């Protein structure tokens, strides 16, 4: 079988400005951040981004790479509204199509099955129809005569997703509690690039978990990128959780400062900067704890005298 492995920069080199780009994961969970960082290092811009949004959207929005965003939300989970996305949206930096989570899912399913739309009940009784005047309805041709929202297919030129394990042919495996919809992103796109924590032999995949964890099929995958810690700072359970301290720093740091501090170099430079910050944070915490212990000791001495 074909070996589809490649570096992140090569995967991004196959993309181009003006594309419709899907990004898998969910909020601040299992996002293909190494691929997003590679995208930020490129000159690619004017993108239509389709995503259950998290810091992927926030970074691309802050960097001015998004022309249009199709999403159900943009969140950091523990921080409800992604701040860099919010700032970009408030200054009118891009066009927004906002639909609810169920409509988004059925848009992915329609695209994955090469259908123009799928009928759903979601959307009625909310402002979704008002803020998206381009949405249409369809009436059942059967005796029930029910009216549905006709959710258009979310077709994409390319998709980026991240999983725990993959083989060289493009079979992708998740080991965490939720598959999200990464398989649909890959099936809905003309090309798909899967980053993973570790590339393993195909036989190893079934040793890691049951067959239903083999989420992504090789026939939907164009390239495989081995990217340890590649979802950072989002979670990639069970390999690691969300780096809440780093996420907080990202959320509270002005974008130009964050970009200069963490995104000016390559992926190795980024990971080294993360390790250094983690070390410095640990040193500060040890110093704080030592000071607390000393204060407690001094208070006990005073009490004893």
């Amino acid at each position: 079988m074909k070996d589809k492995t490649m570096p992140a920069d090569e995967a991004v080199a196959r993309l181009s400005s003006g594309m419709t780009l899907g990004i898998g994961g969910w909020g601040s969970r299992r996002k293909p951040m190494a691929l997003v960082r590679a995208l930020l290092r490129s000159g690619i811009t004017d993108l239509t981004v389709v995503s259950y949004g998290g810091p992927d959207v926030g970074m691309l929005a802050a960097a001015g790479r998004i022309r249009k965003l199709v999403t159900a939300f943009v969140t950091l989970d523990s921080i409800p509204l992604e701040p860099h996305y919010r700032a970009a949206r408030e200054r009118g930096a891009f066009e927004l199509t906002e639909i609810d989570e169920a409509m988004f899912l059925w848009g992915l399913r329609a695209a994955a099955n090469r259908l123009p739309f799928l009928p759903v009940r979601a959307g009625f009784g909310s402002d979704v129809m008002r803020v998206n005047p381009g949405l249409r309805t369809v009436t059942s041709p059967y005796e029930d005569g029910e009216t549905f929202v006709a959710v258009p297919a979310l077709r994409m030129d390319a998709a980026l997703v991240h999983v725990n394990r993959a083989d060289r042919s493009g079979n992708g495996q998740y080991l965490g509690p939720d598959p999200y919809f990464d398989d649909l992103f890959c099936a809905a796109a003309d090309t798909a690039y899967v980053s993973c924590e570790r590339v393993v032999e195909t036989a190893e995949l079934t040793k890691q978990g049951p067959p239903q964890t083999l989420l992504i099929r090789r026939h939907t995958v164009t390239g495989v990128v081995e990217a340890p810690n590649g979802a950072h700072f989002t979670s990639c359970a069970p390999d690691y959780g969300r780096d809440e301290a780093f996420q907080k720093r990202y959320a509270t740091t002005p974008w130009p400062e964050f970009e200069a501090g963490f995104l000016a170099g390559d992926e190795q430079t980024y990971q080294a900067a993360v390790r250094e910050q983690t070390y410095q944070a640990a040193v500060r915490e040890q110093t704080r704890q030592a000071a607390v212990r000393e204060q407690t000791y001094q208070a006990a001495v005073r009490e004893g005298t």
Side-chain angles (χ1 to χ4, degrees):
M1 288 182 283
K2 183 179 180 181
D3 186 341
K4 298 178 182 178
T5 56
M6 61 183 66
D9 288 336
E10 180 180 338
V12 168
R14 299 185 179 202
L15 308 179
S16 60
S17 295
M19 275 187 163
T20 296
L21 180 66
I23 305 177
W26 179 281
S28 192
R29 297 173 238 177
R30 214 174 71 222
K31 284 289 182 176
M33 297 306 296
L35 292 175
V36 171
R37 289 187 285 269
L39 185 60
L40 288 166
R41 291 194 297 270
S42 77
I44 294 171
T45 189
D46 197 37
L47 294 169
T48 295
V49 173
V50 180
S51 175
Y52 284 109
D56 54 326
V57 170
M59 290 186 183
L60 292 171
R65 306 297 182 91
I66 299 177
R67 178 180 63 82
K68 179 180 180 180
L69 174 65
V70 181
T71 191
F73 53 75
V74 184
T75 180
L76 297 178
D77 292 328
S78 58
I79 300 172
L81 184 60
E82 216 285 357
H84 295 295
Y85 155 78
R86 177 177 181 173
R89 180 60 184 158
E90 286 178 345
R91 64 176 182 266
F94 52 83
E95 179 185 349
L96 175 65
T97 295
E98 187 175 13
I99 54 180
D100 81 7
E101 296 172 20
M103 297 170 77
F104 193 104
L105 168 59
W106 286 101
L108 289 177
R109 290 194 185 281
N113 288 281
R114 300 304 187 262
L115 297 171
F117 70 92
L118 278 173
V120 299
R121 294 188 177 93
F124 288 126
S126 74
D127 279 343
V128 169
M129 301 299 289
R130 180 183 62 81
V131 300
N132 294 288
L135 286 174
R136 298 289 183 261
T137 59
V138 62
T139 301
S140 169
Y142 299 102
E143 61 183 22
D144 61 279
E146 186 175 352
T147 298
F148 301 90
V149 178
V151 178
L154 295 176
R155 291 282 291 135
M156 294 163 269
D157 297 307
L160 309 177
V161 305
H162 187 79
V163 294
N164 300 90
R165 306 287 183 268
D167 66 13
R168 294 178 178 277
S169 300
N171 296 299
Q173 180 180 47
Y174 80 99
L175 298 173
D178 198 324
Y180 310 121
F181 303 109
D182 290 354
D183 54 335
L184 294 179
F185 274 96
C186 291
D190 293 337
T191 58
Y193 299 92
V194 177
S195 61
C196 63
E197 291 299 310
R198 186 156 56 90
V199 172
V200 299
E201 295 299 321
T202 303
E204 289 296 313
L205 293 174
T206 53
K207 295 179 182 179
Q208 297 281 331
Q212 57 266 35
T213 64
L214 301 179
L215 180 67
I216 296 170
R217 277 66 171 176
R218 65 179 184 269
H219 72 273
T220 65
V221 173
T222 308
V224 177
V225 176
E226 187 172 54
N229 210 35
H232 185 272
F233 50 92
T234 73
S235 62
C236 187
D239 291 318
Y240 47 86
R242 185 183 303 120
D243 188 339
E244 293 286 2
F246 192 91
Q247 176 167 278
K248 184 177 181 180
R249 178 164 185 171
Y250 161 75
T252 57
T253 302
W255 173 251
E257 181 182 336
F258 182 85
E259 185 179 33
F262 293 99
L263 302 177
D266 60 13
E267 183 67 11
Q268 288 183 336
T269 303
Y270 170 82
Q271 296 292 348
V274 170
R275 289 192 295 272
E276 177 62 22
Q277 178 179 286
T278 301
Y279 170 75
Q280 293 296 338
V283 170
R284 289 193 296 270
E285 179 60 18
Q286 289 175 355
T287 302
R288 185 192 68 81
Q289 291 180 6
V292 170
R293 288 193 296 271
E294 178 64 21
Q295 290 172 359
T296 302
Y297 170 75
Q298 293 297 337
V301 169
R302 290 193 296 271
E303 183 69 21
T305 59

